[in-house]
Each structure stands twice: as C-alpha cells, then as structure tokens.
Amino acid sequence: MKNAPKARVATAWLDGCSGCHMSLLDVDELLLALAGKITLVFGPLVDAQQFPEGVDVALVEGAVSSQDDLKLAQTIRARSKFVIALGDCAVTSNVPSMRNAIPPQRLLERVYVAGAGAQPGVPTDGVPKLLRAATPLHEAIKVDLHVPGCPPPAAAIAYVLTELLEGRKPDLTAGAVKFG
C-alpha cells in the first residue's frame, strides 16, 4: 500500500520577534508525529533561500513592514494553497505598527544618525526599503486563517496543523476549541 504524499509546509518570518516560531517549536512531541506527515520546505529552520512552488500550508509570522516583506508575502500567496497569519503581528500588525506615526525617513534618521554613537548615517546597502506603515498580512495578501496570540499558544498551532492535515479547516471561533 502506497503512503499518502507528505504535505509541503513552509513558515516565514516577516517583521516580528520570532516568538511565533518559538511557539511552533513548543508543540513538542507533536513535532515527531508531524515529521511523518509533512515536509518543511521553507523557513528559518530550513536552508532554502527561495520560497518554493507548490506549498500546501504556509504559516506567516510578522507584519508587512518593508518592500522585502511585501514581495515575500506576495510570493507566498502565489505559491501556497493555504496561508495562515500566525500571531498578533501578522493578524493586526501589533508591535511593528508602533512606528506608523513616524515617517520612515525620520525614523531612520533618528535611529541611525541622531542615535548613533559612531559612524552616523542611514544604511542603504542590503537594507530593505520601509513601507509607509507596518500592516497586517491580510492587507497585503489574501489570508485563509488568522491565528491570534502573542505568541499563539502551542496548543492552537498544534490544533490548526492537525486539523489541516486531516483535511478539515480549523474552527477558531470563540468557544469552538479550548487551549491550555
């Protein structure tokens, strides 16, 4: 009997703190069960440099704050069947949006010129251009599921992944599932 093909799963980290990825790792022993059902094809824990084609599930952490974030988000949407906004930064733009009241050039000058102890100057080489505002993921691309939390509880992530791998869309409405 032939085994079912493994689901191609990707994770991405936009403008955020990596707390959602830490929460993903906190699913503990479920990671062993998932290893038999998924292939992790992109993310901070994978060597892949380019987001691949044919991704079944993409978990995206962080707000869209730069041109690079926007381009990656658009690529993720184009190449993924199911996109999850993972955590409050992706869902609402949370902490990254605290900069939205300050024009990007003024913010950069404050940090890299006024706040510099040595070699003041706004870096340009290899630094992505900031967007006017940090925005939630769904303002940049279509999102199929929002998993809130800062970070989302590991139980919520485990529930979402388990449901998707069983072919069901997770129900995260109030009272539908209890975490913790």
Side-chain angles (χ1 to χ4, degrees):
M1 183 160 110
K2 186 177 174 184
N3 288 339
K6 290 183 175 186
R8 293 171 49 85
V9 176
T11 68
W13 177 11
L14 304 179
D15 187 0
C17 70
S18 83
C20 297
H21 277 82
M22 295 296 102
S23 198
L24 172 62
L25 293 175
D26 282 345
V27 300
D28 298 327
E29 58 273 351
L30 179 63
L31 288 173
L32 296 173
L34 289 175
K37 297 179 181 184
I38 70 169
T39 300
L40 189 58
V41 296
F42 186 84
L45 304 174
V46 179
D47 286 337
Q49 299 299 308
Q50 300 294 324
F51 196 88
E53 300 277 350
V55 171
D56 294 305
V57 177
L59 296 105
V60 183
E61 167 184 356
V64 179
S65 296
S66 70
Q67 289 292 338
D68 286 3
D69 292 343
L70 179 59
K71 183 179 176 186
L72 179 56
Q74 291 168 337
T75 300
I76 289 168
R77 180 70 272 178
R79 296 180 180 180
S80 302
K81 292 177 188 169
F82 199 89
V83 175
I84 299 170
L86 185 63
D88 287 349
C89 291
V91 173
T92 68
S93 72
N94 203 17
V95 173
S97 70
M98 293 172 71
R99 70 147 172 106
N100 288 353
I102 305 167
Q105 190 58 37
R106 200 168 108 212
L107 175 69
L108 293 169
E109 288 171 1
R110 172 67 179 108
V111 171
Y112 291 106
V113 177
Q119 300 178 350
V122 176
T124 55
D125 189 31
V127 177
K129 184 176 191 273
L130 290 178
L131 298 175
R132 171 65 191 99
T135 61
L137 186 62
H138 68 267
E139 288 187 18
I141 63 169
K142 179 184 175 285
V143 169
D144 300 299
L145 184 68
H146 294 82
V147 181
C150 185
I157 297 169
Y159 169 75
V160 165
L161 288 174
T162 301
E163 287 293 290
L164 288 172
L165 291 172
E166 292 296 325
R168 298 183 293 264
K169 184 170 181 182
D171 181 2
L172 294 175
T173 56
V177 65
K178 300 272 189 261
F179 302 112

